[in-house]
Amino acid sequence: MLKDKTIVLGVTGGIAAYKAADLASKLIQAGAKVEVVMTEAATKFVAPLTFRAITNRPVVTGMFDMASEWSIEHVSLAEAADIIVIAPATADIIAKLAAGIADEMILSTVLATKAPVIIAPAMDVNMFENSVTQENIARLKARSFIIIETGYGRLASGKVGRGRLVENEKIIGTVHMVLGCKGDLAGKKIVVTAGGTEEPIDPVRVITNRSSGKMGYAIAEAARDRGAEVRLISAAHHQPDLVGMKIVRVHTAVEMKEAVTKSLKGAHALIMAAAVADYQAKKVAKEKIKKTGASLTLELVQTPDILGEVRGNFIKVGFAAESENLVENAAKKLQKKQLDFIVANDITDASSGFGVDTNKVTIIDSKGKADRLPLMNKREVADKILDRVVKKIK
Ligand code: PMT
């Protein structure tokens, strides 16, 4: 999605400047063209050569930097930008931006651009919490700059608090979200489920399955990057939060049903990639069940069939992970749960289904037409599913 996008990366002078090298590298790997502009202070922390080697582009280090094709005509860099990211953004750069001062190349580029500007602050906790900085940040927010919340943790000063540069994944997620906000799902609300539910047996044991949540998270991310308002109901607790969406974390099928039902208000589509347990313990033991030497029988009762029971004016998409008779079994689930379409995973292929990054799926529609797709990464599968959702919505 970042292919053919020009990202101007402004690097300012703080210890977190070294993290901007990794950010530049990840943006390049995502397909973007990255033009780095450094303040003079930033060059004291990281050599411009580092960014030059990563981006394969000249690095702008000053207003009259003759080595750069952009240096004199700073307006053309501002015009070339699809988005500007300032990371890390120090307190003084934030103050200058808020005051409209443009004595650095990055500041004049921001003043001259019509592109969205993302600012990822990084500074010492006292500087960050100072009311002057907070007022400057508020002023920038009011002027439609996108400010990414700082992280909490250990700072270079040794203090612990707010002011850390957020992880690069969050910055990149924000870039995707901002660039995708006018995509083909803009104005649509999509509810996605992910992960394997956990049904407790006693205080320490659960019945669960091998779902990692990767498929559901890929759908949620792809929907966000196409402009949707996304609600992700997640039972995949080891998956990190994704920016730009509300995530409701659940454990059991009953909790998932409640969260899905609440989230469906105003939704255009429900996509259930979660592997929901079909059974739960009839009685959950209050204390840890002791080993007695004898065999143990657990009585299980069915969980609610979330997808089968929810009703409303939204597109219903299910998943089916099948080890035999893929299309026949998935088609039965589609009929029974009255779905618009179902995505059948072939889990006999080790590179498809649970836990892996790729999936080989067959998408079956309500008329029984089956479309077999080749092995793809889960993000590509997500986009194929969303292409169908878009067609159905329109
Ligand atoms: O999470 P990953 O590791 O990336 O793996 C992805 C996946 C293999 C888990 C996913 O792509 C997938 O196939 N999920 C569905 C697994 C399955 O076999 O579900 P099912 O046949 O039990 O259910 C069919 C559909 O009904 C599913 O959409 C399921 O979410 C839903 N369901 C199931 C049971 C239940 N009580 N309520 C439901 O809503």
Side-chain angles (χ1 to χ4, degrees):
M1 202 202 111
L2 297 184
K3 201 170 168 291
D4 303 326
K5 298 290 180 199
T6 298
I7 300 176
V8 172
L9 174 60
V11 184
T12 72
I15 184 61
Y18 77 93
K19 295 183 184 172
D22 177 55
L23 177 61
S25 168
K26 288 190 167 128
L27 290 170
I28 297 264
Q29 285 168 47
K33 183 174 168 196
V34 179
E35 303 286 356
V36 175
V37 182
M38 299 178 80
T39 61
E40 200 196 329
T43 64
K44 309 272 188 244
F45 288 91
V46 186
L49 184 61
T50 304
F51 289 100
R52 177 163 191 137
I54 290 169
T55 62
N56 205 18
R57 298 282 306 151
V59 173
V60 183
T61 54
M63 296 276 258
F64 307 104
D65 177 359
M66 298 306 288
S68 160
E69 70 197 65
W70 304 109
S71 55
I72 306 293
E73 200 51 62
H74 62 265
V75 173
S76 52
L77 183 55
E79 279 170 1
D82 289 296
I83 193 162
I84 297 181
V85 180
I86 307 183
T90 51
D92 64 315
I93 284 292
I94 289 172
K96 283 180 177 177
L97 267 180
I101 298 169
D103 62 354
E104 293 267 6
M105 184 67 169
I106 186 65
L107 295 168
S108 48
T109 306
V110 167
L111 275 190
T113 196
K114 289 222 177 337
V117 180
I118 295 176
I119 295 176
M123 64 198 77
D124 183 64
V125 58
N126 290 347
M127 266 181 148
F128 181 72
E129 288 178 352
N130 190 300
S131 59
V132 175
T133 306
Q134 288 304 314
E135 274 167 29
N136 287 333
I137 288 177
R139 200 169 295 164
L140 293 180
K141 275 186 189 165
R143 290 183 197 151
S144 305
F145 286 85
I146 300 134
I147 312 282
I148 305 186
E149 288 289 310
T150 57
Y152 181 94
R154 192 185 172 280
L155 299 155
S157 62
K159 291 188 203 115
V160 174
R162 288 164 73 205
R164 273 174 72 88
L165 183 69
V166 288
E167 302 80 55
N168 285 335
E169 284 64 31
K170 282 200 178 151
I171 300 175
I172 294 165
T174 308
V175 169
H176 277 282
M177 180 184 73
V178 173
L179 288 175
C181 70
K182 294 196 178 96
D184 56 6
L185 283 171
K188 309 290 183 240
K189 179 176 173 184
I190 311 285
V191 180
V192 182
T193 67
T197 60
E198 292 177 345
E199 308 302 329
I201 298 169
D202 70 13
V204 294
R205 300 179 179 98
V206 292
I207 301 171
T208 188
N209 58 68
R210 296 198 168 101
S211 170
S212 63
K214 286 180 181 179
M215 190 65 242
Y217 274 62
I219 297 168
E221 223 169 18
R224 175 202 66 194
D225 296 350
R226 293 168 73 149
E229 174 196 339
V230 179
R231 192 66 58 90
L232 174 61
I233 318 295
S234 171
H237 299 288
H238 48 277
Q239 291 284 357
D241 282 355
L242 295 173
V243 290
M245 66 186 71
K246 184 164 180 216
I247 303 184
V248 185
R249 295 204 177 258
V250 297
H251 288 91
T252 64
V254 169
E255 286 171 15
M256 184 171 274
K257 182 176 179 198
E258 199 187 317
V260 166
T261 309
K262 274 193 191 151
S263 302
L264 280 173
K265 192 163 180 272
H268 296 82
L270 166 65
I271 307 176
M272 290 226 23
V276 186
D278 286 324
Y279 289 92
Q280 62 189 24
K282 184 169 184 191
K283 203 160 172 281
V284 179
K286 277 212 179 75
E287 308 300 337
K288 185 179 169 193
I289 298 170
K290 298 280 179 297
K291 188 159 64 179
T292 61
S295 63
L296 175 72
T297 304
L298 275 178
E299 191 176 351
L300 301 178
V301 292
Q302 281 197 28
T303 55
D305 178 352
I306 306 168
L307 202 49
E309 290 170 20
V310 289
R311 299 268 177 275
N313 190 21
F314 50 84
I315 291 155
K316 275 214 279 185
V317 182
F319 268 76
E322 303 294 339
S323 54
E324 54 179 349
N325 303 327
L326 182 74
V327 174
E328 294 83 335
N329 286 340
K332 274 186 204 150
K333 286 178 185 168
L334 172 130
Q335 292 296 337
K336 189 167 167 242
K337 298 178 193 240
Q338 295 180 24
L339 308 179
D340 290 275
F341 55 91
I342 194 159
V343 184
N345 300 277
D346 180 359
I347 57 164
T348 58
D349 183 334
S351 45
S352 173
F354 293 90
V356 289
D357 292 329
T358 47
N359 222 353
K360 190 153 95 189
V361 302
T362 299
I363 304 181
I364 306 156
D365 69 17
S366 55
K367 295 192 180 89
K369 189 170 164 282
D371 188 8
R372 261 175 225 279
L373 301 180
L375 186 72
M376 297 177 186
N377 67 47
K378 285 183 175 170
R379 173 58 191 251
E380 288 170 323
V381 173
D383 276 311
K384 292 283 178 202
I385 295 167
L386 292 174
D387 287 346
R388 285 167 186 263
V389 169
V390 168
K391 271 195 201 143
K392 276 255 166 206
I393 289 176
K394 281 176 181 158

